[in-house]
Amino acid sequence: MPRVAVVLYPNSYLYSIGGLMDAFQIANDHVRRQNGDDLGLFECSIVSCSAEPVTVSGGMRMNGDVALPDAEDFDLIYLPAYSYQGMADLDVLTKEQRPLLEWIKESWQRGSTICANCTGPLLLAQTGLLDGRRATTAWWLERPFPQAVSKIDLDANALLVEDERLMTSGAMTAHLSMAVHLIERYAGPHLAGSCAKTMLIDAGPNSQTPYQELF
């Protein structure tokens, strides 16, 4: 099973962080019940720029498990959704998290798969890794912010898109579909199906279209 880094940065949504980690925990629980041991489990760590606490949604303060200077190689690196307040806000976050973004880019070059949920692909786009590649994001980001994705083949209708070890998902709860997809990849369709049923996730649809509205 893969080693997973969940990236922590300011204003991250707790549900986007915890939802993916909980899905992998449920997968681990199924594996333990089936095998009776801890072999072949998903291993999740929260990685942040430094050892200092980070303020996330709701004003909560969180610490990462691993500070960036001590981060090793991970099979998967996950960027959660965060509270997006406009392009100026994105510019500030990009400058603050530049060391983290460089680490993500270097990790992809070494073979890691990079995943980003909802507004997370906007931050991932700042690494340049999505340039010229297909991606998705929250459906409501397509029209307001074309300048942020001008070099990307953006399909905001898609729930989940993968292009060269870069996986992006749509609005908030799409991270659960992403989790099921990853569980299937690393552990097979039987375990993925069991996890989807346990969490009441419909793993079939791959479109955000039914949820879209015009602003």
Side-chain angles (χ1 to χ4, degrees):
M1 296 293 189
R3 295 186 68 229
V4 182
V6 177
V7 179
L8 178 65
Y9 36 77
N11 295 317
S12 302
Y13 282 114
L14 285 170
Y15 181 51
S16 186
I17 295 171
L20 187 95
M21 296 180 71
D22 285 346
F24 289 151
Q25 180 61 54
I26 288 170
N28 288 346
D29 290 342
H30 278 288
V31 170
R32 289 190 182 99
R33 280 195 291 270
Q34 293 168 9
N35 299 340
D37 53 41
D38 288 344
L39 296 177
L41 302 179
F42 288 88
E43 180 183 344
C44 294
S45 300
I46 298 177
V47 177
S48 58
C49 257
S50 71
E52 296 298 317
V54 175
T55 302
V56 297
S57 63
M60 291 187 63
R61 303 275 281 174
M62 289 184 63
N63 287 87
D65 300 311
V66 182
L68 191 57
D70 299 320
E72 300 178 353
D73 288 339
F74 290 87
D75 302 293
L76 295 175
I77 297 175
Y78 170 69
L79 283 70
Y82 72 99
S83 179
Y84 177 75
Q85 302 298 321
M87 288 301 299
D89 175 68
L90 176 62
D91 289 342
V92 171
L93 183 61
T94 299
K95 291 176 182 176
E96 290 178 348
Q97 301 298 312
R98 179 54 62 188
L100 194 62
L101 296 177
E102 290 299 323
W103 174 73
I104 289 168
K105 184 175 181 178
E106 292 168 1
S107 295
W108 178 83
Q109 292 169 342
R110 291 195 298 270
S112 299
T113 294
I114 313 299
C115 306
N117 170 233
C118 189
T119 50
L122 277 179
L123 190 58
L124 177 58
Q126 307 312 303
T127 66
L129 289 175
L130 293 178
D131 291 357
R133 294 188 171 93
R134 187 167 172 263
T136 190
T137 185
W139 62 265
W140 46 268
L141 283 173
E142 182 180 26
R143 290 181 60 188
F145 312 116
Q147 64 270 38
V149 294
S150 59
K151 298 179 182 179
I152 300 169
D153 181 10
L154 184 68
D155 182 1
N157 292 320
L159 189 71
L160 189 66
V161 169
E162 185 171 13
D163 192 336
E164 295 189 55
R165 289 183 289 105
L166 298 165
M167 185 182 297
T168 51
S169 63
M172 186 65 84
T173 59
H175 71 273
L176 296 176
S177 295
M178 174 182 282
V180 171
H181 181 81
L182 291 168
I183 292 167
E184 180 174 0
R185 170 173 298 177
Y186 288 99
H190 179 73
L191 181 60
S194 296
C195 292
K197 291 175 182 177
T198 301
M199 295 183 286
L200 292 179
I201 298 172
D202 185 354
N206 190 34
S207 175
Q208 300 184 82
T209 303
Y211 302 94
Q212 292 180 0
E213 297 178 354
L214 294 177
F215 286 159

